[in-house]
Amino acid sequence: MNTPEEPVHERITEAELAVMDVLWERPRRTAAEVCDEVCTARGWSLATVKTLLSRLVQKGALAAEPDGRRYLYSPLIERAAYVGGESRRLVDRLFGGSAASLVAHLAETEALTEDDLAEIEALLKELRP
Amino acid sequence: MNTPEEPVHERITEAELAVMDVLWERPRRTAAEVCDEVCTARGWSLATVKTLLSRLVQKGALAAEPDGRRYLYSPLIERAAYVGGESRRLVDRLFGGSAASLVAHLAETEALTEDDLAEIEALLKELRP
DNA sequence: CGGCAATGTTTACAGCCGTAGTCGTCAAGA
DNA sequence: TCTTGACGACTACGGCTGTAAACATTGCCG
């Protein structure tokens, strides 16, 4: 079990993630609409967003559905899948593949608030009655 | 609390991490000794290790202590600090800063084995009696 | 109908990353 | 002492990233 399971899409970079995030929140948006969401926050120009969109399409992470002379962009991968892959990468690289070690580390370094701990506890109760 | 706390050292890359790992395991080693540990595993030449060591020194992640004609390299940052920073970055980028969300995700996607869950439960019991 | 505004495509370019070769030096062995 | 091997420093170089300008096209407004 636990096949390595290489993802089909190429690696999504930090800047590209910002774009993916707005499309995960609501798909089928144009370049200009995506820019409306992120350009001011990141200090980007529309050109930058266009580049990122193109690269994401090339990487197989976005679909570009023609709509007149423009495109509506939508994610081809689910956010959960991406997040899962990244989490796994981190766990593998830094915690020898043990997710429990990650949780332990978070707990030890007090990256977990009291609320976090309570929430996790609740989760556990649900997962193993 | 919870100051953003920018780390002093520059970002450590994947390849560099392999080098850091052997020096975290045992500090004060020469380039050749580091190479002995990683070159075959990663298919690197000694030259590559030398480059990575230099870059890590420049980045402030390693100290190079002169020892005759060569250097003995040692980490300037603790592994726990690095690991903590990376974990935080992931949690911030992908889980809106909520570590509990990360744990929830791991649980939902079954990235956590039964053993993991048991271990985490034990941890929790210890942390909040 | 003609020019403008919007939109994707192409090109750019500096900086980082992975990977390594070359050069100059110096210590130790012959 | 002369040579050779070990070392760090410098150089290289293609690919990826972040950031964007220039260009081409084309629908729309006047």
Side-chain angles (χ1 to χ4, degrees), chain A residues 14 17 79-80 83-84 86-87 93-95 99-100 102-105 107 112 114 116-117 121 123-124 127-128, chain B residues 14 17 79-80 83-84 86-87 93-95 99-100 102 104-105 107 112 114 116-117 120-121 123-124 127-128:
Chain A
E14 174 81 20
L17 181 61
R79 183 177 154 89
V83 161
E86 289 301 297
S87 304
R93 286 198 328 148
L94 300 184
F95 297 93
L102 165 56
V103 176
H105 177 89
L112 294 176
E114 191 56 31
D116 284 333
L117 291 176
E121 196 173 36
L123 254 175
L124 281 185
L127 285 172
R128 30 195 346 252
Chain B
E14 175 79 22
L17 181 60
R79 183 177 154 90
V83 161
E86 289 302 297
S87 303
R93 285 196 329 149
L94 300 183
F95 297 94
L102 165 56
H105 176 89
L112 294 176
E114 190 58 31
D116 284 335
L117 291 175
I120 292 170
E121 197 173 35
L123 254 174
L124 281 184
L127 285 172
R128 29 195 346 253

Side-chain angles (χ1 to χ4, degrees), chain B residues 39-87:
Chain B
C39 279
T40 49
R42 314 262 309 204
W44 286 345
S45 81
L46 174 59
T48 299
V49 170
K50 287 186 197 169
T51 301
L52 294 174
L53 287 169
S54 298
R55 287 180 182 167
L56 284 166
V57 169
Q58 294 238 312
K59 289 184 180 183
L62 284 185
E65 158 194 356
D67 173 60
R69 242 197 96 28
R70 64 232 178 123
Y71 290 128
L72 299 181
Y73 297 93
S74 303
L76 277 179
I77 63 180
E78 288 182 50
R79 183 177 154 90
Y82 173 72
V83 161
E86 289 302 297
S87 303

Side-chain angles (χ1 to χ4, degrees), chain A residues 25-85:
Chain A
E25 194 218 316
R26 180 157 59 79
R28 306 193 66 217
R29 297 207 232 193
T30 69
E33 284 167 345
V34 171
C35 185
D36 286 344
E37 291 293 313
V38 292
C39 280
T40 49
R42 314 261 310 204
W44 286 346
S45 81
L46 174 59
T48 299
V49 170
K50 288 186 200 169
T51 301
L52 294 173
L53 287 169
S54 297
R55 287 180 183 169
L56 283 166
V57 169
Q58 292 231 314
K59 290 184 179 182
L62 284 184
E65 157 194 355
D67 173 61
R69 86 219 98 282
R70 63 213 181 145
Y71 288 127
L72 299 180
Y73 298 92
S74 303
L76 277 180
I77 65 180
E78 287 183 52
R79 183 177 154 89
Y82 172 72
V83 161

